Amino acid sequence: MEKQVVLITGANSGFGQLMALEFAKEGYMVIASMRDKNKSKQLFDTATKMGVISNINIISLDITSAQSIESLKIILQKIGQVDLLINNAGYAGAGFSEEIPIEEYQLQMDTNFFGAIRVTQCVLPFMREQGKGMIINMSSISGEIGFPGLSPYVSSKFALEGWSEAIRLELAPFSIPVILVEPGSFQTNIWTTGKKVTIKSTMSSSPYFSYMEQLDTYLQRNRKKDGKPIDVAKKVVTIAQTKHPKLRYVIGKGTRSTILLKNILPWKWWEKIVLFILK
């Protein structure tokens, strides 16, 4: 097959959908996966208008299901190759830890973290046999900075970061680079329909209720500051075409300086800054 094959999870909306369209424009064969194919209309219609629908193959994939991963393996066997995997699917679990059932933490990790592992384990045999490939894991500024009210999401992204570091070293001998992309708070559905707040933290009777409102106000206020989501999609295409990509790419206005500040300041100073901006 002449075309490069890219598998993107969570391609029905947000960064995933934009990346599917950008890679299709670049002539890649895009396997655009999503849990519910009924949500593919926007991607299908946009790709048709752009004249790139022939480069997109929309498939159902539930990254939390072993059976669904087996179905993916059969699809990849028929295609015969996969050159790039983008682990993008996920959502943002929110609320305050005291009020979040452990089951919600488990579901968050099963999607954002273990889901990425399942898909990667499915894809790696193809890449090793080819002697080449690339894995891009869509992390977040939340993979480097803990934030109150988002502990499930933050935990899943911190885990993704550590795992990515480890497997980058494991796969280096096979010429399969692993890359982390860390966007800031871009205006995507991860902070609206993609955010799942635990029920107790939404109730006025919660001791954290006013704090939760402060956090939500801050997140909504800052969603537009980092730039346009299409900038992230275009950057990922550029990374995919880079011969020797580095481990981390931070994207968004102020995101790099925020991470740097957190890493160099004494914790007590950083804590005061965070609590101050949330007032």
Side-chain angles (χ1 to χ4, degrees), residues 99-210:
E99 302 177 325
I100 302 173
I102 194 68
E103 291 80 10
E104 290 185 22
Y105 276 104
Q106 290 171 330
L107 181 59
Q108 177 77 102
M109 296 298 289
D110 200 29
T111 303
N112 290 19
F113 180 51
F114 294 122
I117 295 176
R118 289 187 189 96
V119 180
T120 301
Q121 288 180 335
C122 177
V123 163
L124 276 177
F126 295 92
M127 290 186 174
R128 282 193 300 98
E129 190 171 335
Q130 294 166 183
K132 63 183 179 69
M134 181 183 291
I135 298 167
I136 297 178
N137 292 327
M138 297 300 292
S139 184
S140 164
I141 188 175
S142 296
E144 296 220 42
I145 296 176
F147 199 76
L150 290 172
S151 63
Y153 182 66
V154 167
S155 299
S156 70
K157 293 302 184 182
F158 265 70
L160 184 69
E161 296 260 339
W163 174 68
S164 297
E165 286 189 11
I167 64 168
R168 181 173 170 110
L169 297 171
E170 291 177 2
L171 298 176
F174 299 96
S175 299
I176 304 172
V178 177
I179 296 99
L180 284 159
V181 174
E182 299 174 344
S185 299
F186 283 81
Q187 192 174 11
T188 69
N189 66 325
I190 191 72
W191 303 119
T192 53
T193 57
K195 187 173 71 171
K196 298 181 181 179
V197 184
T198 196
I199 292 175
K200 285 187 178 180
S201 294
T202 65
M203 297 179 176
S204 58
S205 58
S206 166
Y208 300 98
F209 183 71
S210 60

Side-chain angles (χ1 to χ4, degrees), residues 9-248:
T9 65
N12 58 294
S13 63
F15 292 142
Q17 183 180 125
L18 292 171
M19 288 188 290
L21 294 169
E22 288 300 309
F23 276 103
K25 278 170 57 179
E26 290 292 313
Y28 287 74
M29 175 183 174
V30 179
I31 305 172
S33 74
M34 57 196 71
R35 185 168 57 180
D36 184 0
K37 279 184 70 174
N38 291 325
K39 295 182 178 181
S40 65
K41 186 178 186 304
Q42 186 178 22
L43 172 60
F44 183 88
D45 290 348
T46 305
T48 301
K49 289 178 183 177
M50 292 172 59
V52 297
I53 191 61
S54 61
N55 287 342
I56 297 179
N57 180 18
I58 299 172
I59 68 167
S60 295
L61 176 63
D62 180 353
I63 63 174
T64 68
S65 164
Q67 183 177 353
S68 189
I69 295 295
E70 285 301 312
S71 298
L72 172 64
K73 188 181 295 184
I74 293 171
I75 291 171
L76 295 180
Q77 286 171 343
K78 290 179 180 178
I79 295 173
Q81 74 181 74
V82 56
D83 302 286
L84 172 62
L85 165 63
I86 302 177
N87 284 311
N88 169 74
Y91 68 95
F96 284 80
S97 189
E98 180 185 345
E99 302 177 325
I100 302 173
I102 194 68
E103 291 80 10
E104 290 185 22
Y105 276 104
Q106 290 171 330
L107 181 59
Q108 177 77 102
M109 296 298 289
D110 200 29
T111 303
N112 290 19
F113 180 51
F114 294 122
I117 295 176
R118 289 187 189 96
V119 180
T120 301
Q121 288 180 335
C122 177
V123 163
L124 276 177
F126 295 92
M127 290 186 174
R128 282 193 300 98
E129 190 171 335
Q130 294 166 183
K132 63 183 179 69
M134 181 183 291
I135 298 167
I136 297 178
N137 292 327
M138 297 300 292
S139 184
S140 164
I141 188 175
S142 296
E144 296 220 42
I145 296 176
F147 199 76
L150 290 172
S151 63
Y153 182 66
V154 167
S155 299
S156 70
K157 293 302 184 182
F158 265 70
L160 184 69
E161 296 260 339
W163 174 68
S164 297
E165 286 189 11
I167 64 168
R168 181 173 170 110
L169 297 171
E170 291 177 2
L171 298 176
F174 299 96
S175 299
I176 304 172
V178 177
I179 296 99
L180 284 159
V181 174
E182 299 174 344
S185 299
F186 283 81
Q187 192 174 11
T188 69
N189 66 325
I190 191 72
W191 303 119
T192 53
T193 57
K195 187 173 71 171
K196 298 181 181 179
V197 184
T198 196
I199 292 175
K200 285 187 178 180
S201 294
T202 65
M203 297 179 176
S204 58
S205 58
S206 166
Y208 300 98
F209 183 71
S210 60
Y211 200 177
M212 191 74 234
E213 287 189 317
Q214 285 177 268
L215 294 170
D216 191 56
T217 299
Y218 174 82
L219 288 172
Q220 297 307 321
R221 188 172 65 237
N222 284 273
R223 283 175 65 210
K224 299 180 181 181
K225 288 186 176 180
D226 280 328
K228 298 178 181 178
I230 190 64
D231 297 335
V232 176
K234 290 180 180 293
K235 181 64 175 179
V236 171
V237 172
T238 300
I239 294 168
Q241 297 171 345
T242 301
K243 192 171 183 180
H244 299 291
K246 59 185 181 179
L247 171 62
R248 284 183 173 88

Side-chain angles (χ1 to χ4, degrees), residues 258-276:
T258 302
I259 292 172
L260 178 63
L261 198 63
K262 186 253 185 176
N263 289 333
I264 63 174
L265 284 179
W267 174 259
K268 63 180 181 180
W269 293 6
W270 173 254
E271 186 174 293
K272 287 180 180 179
I273 291 171
V274 173
L275 295 177
F276 176 77

